[in-house]
Every structure is written in structure tokens, then in C-alpha cells.
Amino acid sequence: MIVIDGKKTAQDIRAELAAEVGAARAKGRRAPGLAVILVGEDPASQVYVRNKEKACVDVGIVSFAYRLPADTSQQDLLHRIRECNARPDVDGILLQLPLPKGLDAQACLLAIDPAKDVDGFHPENVGRLSLGLPGFVSCTPAGVIELLRRYNLPTRGKKAVVVGRSDIVGKPLALLLTRSGEFGDATVTICHSRTPDLAAECRSADFLFLAIGRPRLITGDMVRQGAVVIDVGINRGPDGLCGDADYESVSAKASAITPVPGGVGPMTIAMLLVNTVHSWRQRTAGE
């Protein structure tokens, strides 16, 4: 049984990006730039932003911090976003969610230039994904596919079950798994809270992707022998963090599994860096 090490994979990706950025900087090109907009004092958001900013430093990305008070108006927040859209030294824009009450997150995400939408949340990028066109992909599902690629776990011709239908993980992941290619071309079923026989659906899967946010919901008796289990869930309980899978019983059946923590989680930030460097690469190609 393979334990898929997302932490090690994310470190490898950071090292590869740092080498590319360092080589370009040595030739006189500017560093990639990521604008990070944080509104309010939400403790979890502050931790996430600090982690992202530290990751930027590791790779050589310049992080432009916009820390705004919780009482920031919608107009002022939109002004900041437009300012970042116009800055030539900003290649990516990260608007940390959730926003404080009274602010329209959807309107703010729509205001971000799709060419700088390194989170992959803008409807234009979501639409491009659905049509199989190039564009930024939401970082968590992109990280899942990258783990499959680096561990050589092809999904072509396999049955994939995605448990969870969120706009950030479940839906884009299902789209990625249906795209042409060795790590696509899967037959995909999306399950959710209204699925009549979740256990039977899970047992049908060669690849089982869990992103429903229910601690230890999936148990070993719901998993086919030899299945690959990718657990995106991060749930905090009295005994610490756990995934959507009951790791002990599921790992006894799986041929490969991601642990929680240390599996998919680190890949989310890694793919944010990948998207930012990709944007910078495109924007500085003629320099």
C-alpha cells in the first residue's frame, strides 16, 4: 500500500519553481508577483495567508500584501482589486475567503482579471475548464491530479467516484478527470448528501475522491480492494485533524491513499505557486 506524500511532493514542486525563478532572475527578469488581499481578522484566514506568503518567499515570488480592516466597504475592496489588475508587477491575485459579512464575494471574484485569477475561481476560468481550454484551474483539484501524475496512478479507462459537489473541489475535479489524457479519461460519478446508496457507489470505484467535509464518513467496508483513495477532507475533531475517510480501515483496503494531514493539503498552496509562476512566465515571455 502506497502512502501518497503530499508534503514531500509539494516541497519538490517548490524546489523546481525556485530553480526556474532563480535562473530567470539571474538573467535580469523580474520576479513573479502575487497580490494577497485579506479583509478582516479571521484567525484561520490569517494562518492561511501567512503560510502562502512564506511559500512565496521560498520560491522567489514577491508577495504584495493588502490587509484591510473588517469594515472595508465593497467599493474600496473592488478598488483594491482593480488596482492589482492594473499593476504590471502583479501576475496573480489571491482574495482570501471567506469575506466579512456585508461584502459580496462573488462580485469581488468577478472583478479579478481572469488572466490573474490564480485561484481558478473566476467564471471564465471555470468555463474554460468545462470546455477543455487552457486556463487556471482551482488549486486543490489541480493538486490532486498532480499527485496522481507524480505517483504514476493513471485514471484512463477507470471508474472514478467523487464524493462531494462543491464548486471549489468536487465539480472541477470531476471535469479534470473526464478530460482526455492518461490522468483523465475516467468514467466519473459525483456523489453527495442525496445519493441513495453511497456505500455501493464508493465500492464501484477504482479511484475514490473524498471531498464532502464529513469526518471519517467513508469506512473500509465502503471501499473496493485495491482502490486508490484520495482524501481531500480536512476536519478538526477532539483528537486532531482527520479526513473524510476512516484512515485505519480504509488504508487496509486501498492500494494507495493520501493521509490527513500531509496529503492533499500541502498541494493546494503548491499549485497556487505553480499558477502564479505560469502567469508570470506568460506575461514576461517577451522580456
Side-chain angles (χ1 to χ4, degrees):
M1 197 272 293
I2 300 168
V3 177
I4 299 171
D5 190 342
K7 185 175 181 181
K8 170 66 165 54
T9 305
Q11 289 171 344
D12 291 344
I13 291 171
R14 290 191 197 189
E16 293 161 10
L17 295 175
E20 178 184 350
V21 172
R25 296 281 289 135
K27 295 178 181 177
R29 287 170 64 185
R30 68 168 177 83
L34 176 66
V36 181
I37 304 174
L38 174 62
V39 186
E41 306 293 331
D42 181 74
S45 292
Q46 290 183 348
V47 171
Y48 293 148
V49 165
R50 282 198 299 270
N51 289 340
K52 290 167 183 174
E53 289 175 334
K54 181 182 182 301
C56 284
V57 171
D58 292 343
V59 169
I61 296 172
V62 178
S63 179
F64 302 102
Y66 289 78
R67 284 179 165 76
L68 308 176
D71 61 356
T72 296
S73 68
Q74 182 82 11
Q75 183 178 2
D76 187 46
L77 180 53
L78 289 171
H79 171 74
R80 300 289 183 177
I81 292 170
R82 295 188 188 103
E83 180 183 312
C84 293
N85 285 341
R87 286 184 63 164
D89 54 349
V90 169
D91 301 293
I93 300 171
L94 167 66
L95 176 63
Q96 183 63 45
L97 302 177
L99 296 176
K101 290 182 179 179
L103 294 175
D104 184 344
Q106 191 60 42
C108 292
L109 292 174
L110 281 168
I112 295 173
D113 181 351
K116 295 186 177 185
D117 169 41
V118 290
D119 256 337
F121 293 163
H122 194 283
E124 180 174 321
N125 283 318
V126 175
R128 295 180 74 83
L129 171 61
S130 71
L131 294 172
L133 299 174
F136 291 118
V137 177
S138 182
C139 298
T140 299
V144 168
I145 300 299
E146 188 64 19
L147 282 175
L148 297 178
R149 183 178 292 113
R150 291 188 179 237
Y151 275 81
N152 194 28
L153 297 167
T155 57
R156 174 176 281 159
K158 303 295 186 180
K159 174 66 181 295
V161 171
V162 179
V163 184
R165 55 181 171 179
S166 73
D167 294 333
I168 294 174
V169 181
K171 290 178 185 177
L173 179 56
L175 288 170
L176 287 170
L177 289 166
T178 59
R179 292 215 289 198
S180 297
E182 190 175 4
F183 301 95
D185 280 331
T187 299
V188 181
T189 298
I190 299 179
C191 297
H192 45 77
S193 60
R194 298 294 185 268
T195 298
D197 192 343
L198 179 60
E201 296 289 354
C202 290
R203 280 193 294 269
S204 74
D206 301 303
F207 284 78
L208 183 57
F209 301 90
L210 309 179
I212 201 167
R214 299 271 299 276
R216 300 187 179 94
L217 175 68
I218 306 303
T219 53
D221 62 311
M222 300 169 69
V223 177
R224 173 189 289 185
Q225 187 70 42
V228 174
V229 180
I230 307 295
D231 192 348
V232 184
I234 300 179
N235 308 286
R236 188 175 298 277
D239 53 349
L241 293 178
C242 70
D244 291 349
D246 178 62
Y247 187 84
E248 184 174 351
S249 64
V250 170
S251 61
K253 299 281 286 293
S255 62
I257 190 171
T258 55
V260 178
V264 176
M267 294 297 294
T268 299
I269 293 180
M271 298 313 291
L272 173 70
L273 304 177
V274 167
N275 283 350
T276 301
V277 170
H278 178 69
S279 176
W280 162 79
R281 195 184 295 131
Q282 290 185 313
R283 293 165 57 80
T284 61
E287 292 183 4

